[in-house]
Amino acid sequence: MAAESVTRRVLILGSSGSIGTQAVEIVTARADLETVGVAVGRDWRTAVTQARSMGLETIAVADPQAASEARENFDGNVLEGPDSAVEMIGLTRPDIVLNGIVGAAGLGPTVAALTGGIDVALANKESLVIGGELVTELAAATGARLLPVDSEHSALFQLVENEDPGAIERIVLTASGGPFRGRTDLEGITVEQALDHPTWAMGGRITIDSATLMNKGFEMIEAHHLFQLPYEQIGVVVHPQSIVHSLIDLRDGATLAHLGYPDMRVPIAYALTWPERAEVPVERLDLAQVGSLDFEAPDPETFRCLALAREAGEQGGIAPCVLNAADEVAVASFLGGEISFSDIPRVIEQTLEDMGSGPARGFDELFAVDEASRERASEIISGQG
Ligand code: MG
């Protein structure tokens, strides 16, 4: 078929981040992929460097101050402001948007791409955590695909692809357990300790979310929406080596697992080249060298965030949106030295309680709930002062 020779046009949002820079590297190395645009939050220098090396005429920079600095240093066009990533989608009309934006800011671009029938390689967790019900309905309505980039969801996506949905009894997300695995008391943890993740090098927010296990909680919610499974069919197992990326249990008693060294280039490449498999120059797995793989049950009593996420996911509606907003505020406050590590779940639980529950009727409502939850979380934090 001629389809193989057609170049897939890729727009990379969050191109200066960990996922974004690796995506640029993968696209650049492949003749059948082409980057048609990059968007960043604040790091205009990386965006300008990427634009020059790939011959792009327009970049998007969300932060106005950073955008004006970009304009002084870049001959092309600079789209500016919080809607600049969405504008970039309209301007470039790509075949696929890689959404590597961190936080709730990633939801708008996901919605814009799906509305336009454009596939989304999704690394932005919040799109599904906050807007899961509406986002998956939107994708179904326009026929656009959500291709997961998160390592666990990519693994699951690859595992379930060839199975009859009725044959899947359970999906199991693996969790590294973070730097505090095994601890039963999370008092007195410093920012430096929390930022020191044992297996994955990532941005600040997701590293803290991995340390609290909130990241795994978000991933359960994402998995619920991506694979349309109830929460009782979604499990978590702690696996410190991060070699097994996830597993599925099938009705005949077989369990399938996806393995490899932790390297995000594999899931990024899979999302961008699906349904084909790219040649990716990562280290090949040598199990004899790995030696042994360990597994243990998670401890949701110590790691309260995992339990809070499951509860919010089961509740559905606005609850996951509140969960995420409260977590973003609490993590930023922890990183800023305003609250302790063990305050993070307290702030989230209180915000969830104060915001109540209800259905998510539309994206505008979710954005309003997001804002109100942030305000509430901030008030709780300053009250605790
Ligand atoms: Mg993950």
Side-chain angles (χ1 to χ4, degrees):
M1 296 264 290
E4 271 180 55
S5 58
V6 173
T7 303
R8 198 172 288 179
R9 302 171 67 254
V10 186
L11 170 60
I12 301 178
L13 308 180
S15 68
S16 61
S18 154
I19 299 291
T21 49
Q22 294 179 84
V24 167
E25 186 193 313
I26 286 163
V27 171
T28 305
R30 290 189 63 88
D32 59 350
L33 297 176
E34 180 197 355
T35 302
V36 295
V38 293
V40 297
R42 256 187 214 94
D43 184 1
W44 62 269
R45 284 191 179 82
T46 300
V48 167
T49 305
Q50 288 170 337
R52 286 201 185 115
S53 72
M54 296 185 288
L56 304 174
E57 281 167 16
T58 308
I59 61 171
V61 181
D63 181 75
Q65 176 64 31
S68 64
E69 283 180 59
R71 225 168 257 126
E72 283 166 31
N73 291 278
F74 183 56
D75 289 336
N77 297 319
V78 180
L79 303 178
E80 174 188 325
D83 294 329
S84 58
V86 168
E87 280 174 52
M88 201 68 171
I89 295 170
L91 186 77
T92 56
R93 300 293 309 163
D95 297 310
I96 185 164
V97 171
L98 181 124
N99 187 348
I101 294 172
V102 176
L107 176 58
T110 294
V111 171
L114 295 176
T115 302
I118 299 166
D119 291 347
V120 177
L122 192 64
N124 171 261
K125 287 177 194 295
E126 290 76 7
S127 294
L128 285 173
V129 171
I130 300 173
E133 294 161 25
L134 298 171
V135 164
T136 47
E137 276 170 29
L138 177 61
T142 65
R145 285 188 198 88
L146 284 165
L147 298 152
V149 170
D150 207 348
S151 64
E152 295 81 359
H153 303 86
S154 175
L156 289 166
F157 180 63
Q158 294 173 52
L159 291 167
V160 304
E161 221 174 359
N162 300 311
E163 302 299 334
D164 168 4
I168 299 161
E169 283 188 344
R170 201 167 76 114
I171 60 178
V172 181
L173 296 154
T174 48
S176 73
F180 310 124
R181 181 176 59 88
R183 282 181 66 150
T184 52
D185 168 15
L186 302 178
E187 300 299 327
I189 285 168
T190 66
V191 170
E192 289 68 30
Q193 287 170 331
L195 284 175
D196 188 17
H197 192 273
T199 48
W200 296 96
M202 305 169 291
R205 161 120 196 271
I206 189 170
T207 305
I208 301 303
D209 283 341
S210 297
T212 61
L213 293 200
M214 181 57 95
N215 182 55
K216 210 48 57 178
F218 287 154
E219 289 183 359
M220 285 192 303
I221 298 173
E222 286 183 270
H224 163 76
H225 293 296
L226 277 170
F227 306 108
Q228 301 283 310
L229 285 172
Y231 285 92
E232 57 266 27
Q233 283 174 261
I234 303 171
V236 172
V237 67
V238 174
H239 167 45
Q241 293 89 359
S242 302
I243 297 287
V244 177
H245 300 138
S246 278
L247 314 100
I248 60 171
D249 294 340
L250 301 169
R251 68 175 165 213
D252 62 355
T255 292
L256 306 184
H258 183 289
L259 285 76
Y261 292 119
D263 193 318
M264 289 307 294
R265 286 176 293 175
V266 178
I268 294 168
Y270 195 72
L272 293 178
T273 64
W274 182 87
E276 287 174 36
R277 279 191 189 272
E279 184 89 35
V280 186
V282 299
E283 195 184 346
R284 269 43 182 172
L285 181 63
D286 181 347
L287 278 177
Q289 199 184 35
V290 173
S292 59
L293 299 174
D294 300 303
F295 300 92
E296 59 195 60
D299 171 8
E301 270 162 51
T302 304
F303 296 89
R304 279 286 299 147
C305 287
L306 189 61
L308 291 171
R310 188 179 274 275
E311 285 161 27
E314 279 168 352
Q315 203 168 76
I318 63 166
C321 173
V322 177
L323 175 86
N324 174 74
D327 179 67
E328 276 194 40
V329 172
V331 168
S333 298
F334 168 66
L335 289 171
E338 295 158 57
I339 61 170
S340 73
F341 188 78
S342 52
D343 283 336
I344 295 172
R346 291 183 195 127
V347 169
I348 296 166
E349 187 164 20
Q350 189 62 53
T351 309
L352 280 163
E353 220 176 282
D354 294 353
M355 292 298 296
S357 59
R361 281 174 290 252
F363 289 111
D364 286 342
E365 184 178 345
L366 285 175
F367 289 124
V369 168
D370 176 75
E371 209 177 299
S373 306
R374 279 166 206 274
E375 274 170 36
R376 187 69 206 112
S378 302
E379 284 163 13
I380 291 166
I381 289 165
S382 50
Q384 278 184 350

